[in-house]
Amino acid sequence: MTHVLLIRPLCEGDELEFAEPLGIERLAGYLRMRGKASVTVLDRRLYERERSAGSCVSTFWEDVRAACDDAPPVLAGFSLMTARDVPDALRLHSRLRTWYPQARFWAGGVYVTTSPAEAARRLPASILLVRGEGEASLLGALDGEANALAARPLHPNEWAPAYRPHVERYASLGCAVNVQTSRGCPGACVFCATPQLPYRLGRWRPRSLSLVADELEYECRRLERGGLPPVFNLVDDDFGPLSRLEELAHELRKRELTIAFACEMRLAALIGQPDLAQRLARLREAGLSRLFVGVESLNPQTLKAWHKPYDVGRLEETVVSIREAGISLQSGYIMWHRNQTVEGALAEAEELRRLGLYTHQAAVSRLIVFDGCELAKQSGRGAGFEPMSPEAETFYSQFVRASEGLQKRWVVAAVAEPYLASCALLDRSPNELQKLREELARINDCSYELLRTQGSPS
């Protein structure tokens, strides 16, 4: 049978959050479901993590040889999340094309989809670039279709369950199982590339929740057999309305599944919902451990400029409801941007503190203009941090330097917190979670005092 090799390269520099490579796992599942190929999925980052943890039993290149020497790949692909994945992809390509000269090479992922021109400049012309979702494109390439790279995206109900040959290895390292339940987003945030994607990719379309529950149930049973906690992360840009989350909870109850899961939702889906605390409490009973919401700013004018409307005046009641339900809350925030002043940042930090939403990450978060977003079109500049006034630049730089030690501590704790919150909901390691949250609280307290002191008149 035709053999396909799918690889996630190493990330240049520090990787903030280690997770399984869902993109290539989904592609592998689709090709296997259609019976078109045997597929090998290899993640360079998994070997690095296992080596650091002292649990590595083989090397990446040993496993490439074991999988490919007797069945050389016809297609070999790289999944690129950001530009920092490119250097290792180039190293991989150089060696693999020597070992397996008959293979055709391709690259896909978020980086290729949102920055195609840059990707084309940095990658050899012999590497085909697949924008968007690659299921139909790769299937067409295997069938020899000339226009395979222009294949239409599938409906989410046509997606196959991800092929996760190494799920136990990831879970042993404290990784949740990632599951995608929808495509696109109904939002129009100017700092996000999703609204600028072609209509079929950017428009929000849900996957059948019975299919989602099938995938959750299958992986839950695998984890249980391995004695590992059934922890999941729903990785949608936006899960959808609250009623859809309640429908998923109903599916889980029908199947008597005991899992813990986190998801990302837009504030617009939560603000103003009747009986929010009670409904969220029932969702927690079904396994909802954590919500990530994009607050982004407390300034209505900034929100308007960013095309991110929500009623700031009702944020507090929403936050209170989430906490009353016993659900862990993480909020995205962009403190520093083109129109921010030092006085404005200090005022926002104080209000975030009052709401219980202040984190060190919020205090150092700065708006990045990514290729493919509306802001990039508006500014006409290349990707990078949005420029600020000299006063704001100076204040920001001084605070980042002064809080460098806090940043390192915060990242380590914040990355571990979601998984531990899910484990605690499953009655595993609650004391460890409490200690971690105390550490996060200390870091945030120190950060706020540092920020306030730096902004006080001398």
Side-chain angles (χ1 to χ4, degrees):
M1 182 180 284
T2 300
H3 186 205
V4 175
L5 176 63
L6 302 178
I7 301 173
R8 179 168 69 169
L10 291 174
C11 177
E12 196 172 52
D14 294 332
E15 183 179 35
L16 295 183
E17 190 169 1
F18 174 62
E20 61 175 319
L22 180 59
I24 56 175
E25 289 175 338
R26 276 185 44 200
L27 291 178
Y30 185 74
L31 295 178
R32 285 166 55 87
M33 181 185 74
R34 298 298 294 262
K36 290 291 184 179
S38 64
V39 187
T40 298
V41 174
L42 295 176
D43 179 7
R44 290 267 276 169
R45 304 178 200 186
L46 175 60
Y47 292 88
E48 288 293 299
R49 289 296 173 118
E50 288 182 331
R51 184 177 59 82
S52 298
S55 60
C56 191
V57 296
S58 62
T59 70
F60 170 80
W61 291 110
E62 286 172 346
D63 286 353
V64 169
R65 286 292 201 186
C68 299
D69 278 5
D70 291 335
V74 171
L75 284 178
F78 308 117
S79 177
L80 309 178
M81 175 67 75
T82 71
R84 297 194 302 164
D85 300 340
V86 172
D88 192 54
L90 293 174
R91 289 189 291 269
L92 292 168
H93 175 252
S94 178
R95 183 178 295 191
L96 290 171
R97 70 178 179 177
T98 301
W99 286 2
Y100 311 112
Q102 79 294 331
R104 288 175 290 162
F105 290 88
W106 64 271
V110 174
Y111 173 65
V112 173
T113 299
T114 59
S115 305
E118 181 185 339
R121 285 194 301 270
R122 297 191 61 185
L123 295 169
S126 58
I127 298 181
L128 300 175
L129 303 183
V130 179
R131 294 188 68 192
E133 296 165 2
E135 285 93 339
S137 295
L138 292 187
L139 188 64
L142 287 174
D143 288 340
E145 296 177 10
N147 62 344
L149 299 186
R152 69 169 181 86
L154 305 178
H155 186 284
N157 286 345
E158 298 177 87
W159 293 343
Y163 171 57
R164 300 183 173 93
H166 310 304
V167 68
E168 294 89 353
R169 292 166 65 182
Y170 288 101
S172 296
L173 293 167
C175 288
V177 177
N178 288 334
V179 174
Q180 188 171 2
T181 82
S182 66
R183 169 200 289 133
C185 180
C189 301
V190 298
F191 49 76
C192 179
T194 299
Q196 301 302 311
L197 290 174
Y199 179 72
R200 286 179 178 271
L201 291 173
R203 180 168 69 105
W204 187 81
R205 298 190 74 178
R207 187 183 186 198
S208 163
L209 290 177
S210 65
L211 294 176
V212 173
D214 286 344
E215 191 166 348
L216 292 171
E217 182 173 12
Y218 177 78
E219 300 300 346
C220 175
R221 302 308 182 207
R222 285 183 66 188
L223 292 169
E224 287 176 343
R225 287 194 296 271
L228 296 161
V231 175
F232 295 86
N233 185 32
L234 309 183
V235 297
D236 312 272
D237 283 344
D238 172 40
F239 182 84
L242 185 62
S243 58
R244 185 168 185 259
L245 201 53
E246 292 170 325
E247 290 174 30
L248 177 60
H250 179 66
E251 282 284 342
L252 299 177
R253 292 189 186 98
K254 279 198 310 182
R255 298 162 190 249
E256 298 182 346
L257 285 183
T258 301
I259 68 171
F261 64 96
C263 82
E264 181 171 341
M265 298 182 73
R266 298 169 68 231
L267 271 172
L270 297 170
I271 286 180
Q273 287 291 315
D275 305 316
L276 181 60
Q278 295 89 334
R279 294 166 72 183
L280 289 175
R282 288 194 290 272
L283 287 169
R284 185 181 186 279
E285 292 173 359
L288 178 62
S289 62
R290 172 179 172 266
L291 281 172
F292 179 88
V293 297
V295 174
E296 312 307 3
S297 179
L298 297 176
N299 185 317
Q301 294 305 311
T302 299
L303 292 172
K304 183 178 180 180
W306 288 347
H307 299 172
K308 187 177 179 63
Y310 71 86
D311 187 349
V312 175
R314 303 196 69 175
L315 175 61
E316 183 172 7
E317 66 185 57
T318 305
V319 170
V320 169
S321 293
I322 294 171
R323 292 197 174 119
E324 284 182 354
I327 292 171
S328 176
L329 171 64
Q330 182 178 352
S331 59
Y333 202 83
I334 305 172
M335 182 72 76
W336 300 96
H337 50 86
R338 180 181 58 191
N339 296 320
Q340 185 63 285
T341 64
V342 173
E343 293 78 10
L346 292 172
E348 289 176 27
E350 183 177 357
E351 179 63 6
L352 287 172
R353 178 81 166 178
R354 188 187 71 79
L355 293 170
L357 295 177
Y358 179 91
T359 66
H360 178 66
Q361 182 61 34
V364 299
S365 182
R366 181 170 177 176
L367 183 59
I368 301 175
V369 178
F370 290 100
D371 284 337
C373 73
E374 178 63 26
L375 274 181
K377 294 182 179 180
Q378 292 176 7
S379 67
R381 292 186 294 267
F385 288 126
E386 198 174 51
M388 300 188 294
S389 70
E391 181 189 19
E393 289 279 7
T394 299
F395 185 95
Y396 176 81
S397 297
Q398 290 175 346
F399 179 68
V400 169
R401 285 196 300 270
S403 62
E404 183 178 359
L406 293 177
Q407 177 69 7
K408 293 178 179 178
R409 289 170 55 197
W410 189 91
V411 167
V412 170
V415 167
E417 197 268 349
Y419 190 83
L420 286 180
S422 289
C423 288
L425 188 146
L426 296 168
D427 292 326
R428 301 192 187 202
S429 308
N431 293 333
E432 192 173 349
L433 174 65
Q434 182 60 31
K435 291 178 182 177
L436 188 73
R437 286 180 169 169
E438 290 171 357
E439 166 70 354
L440 280 169
R442 285 191 294 269
I443 296 168
N444 293 333
D445 287 344
C446 291
S447 171
Y448 179 74
E449 287 305 313
L450 183 62
L451 184 75
R452 187 181 62 82
T453 302
Q454 182 173 303
S456 299
S458 56

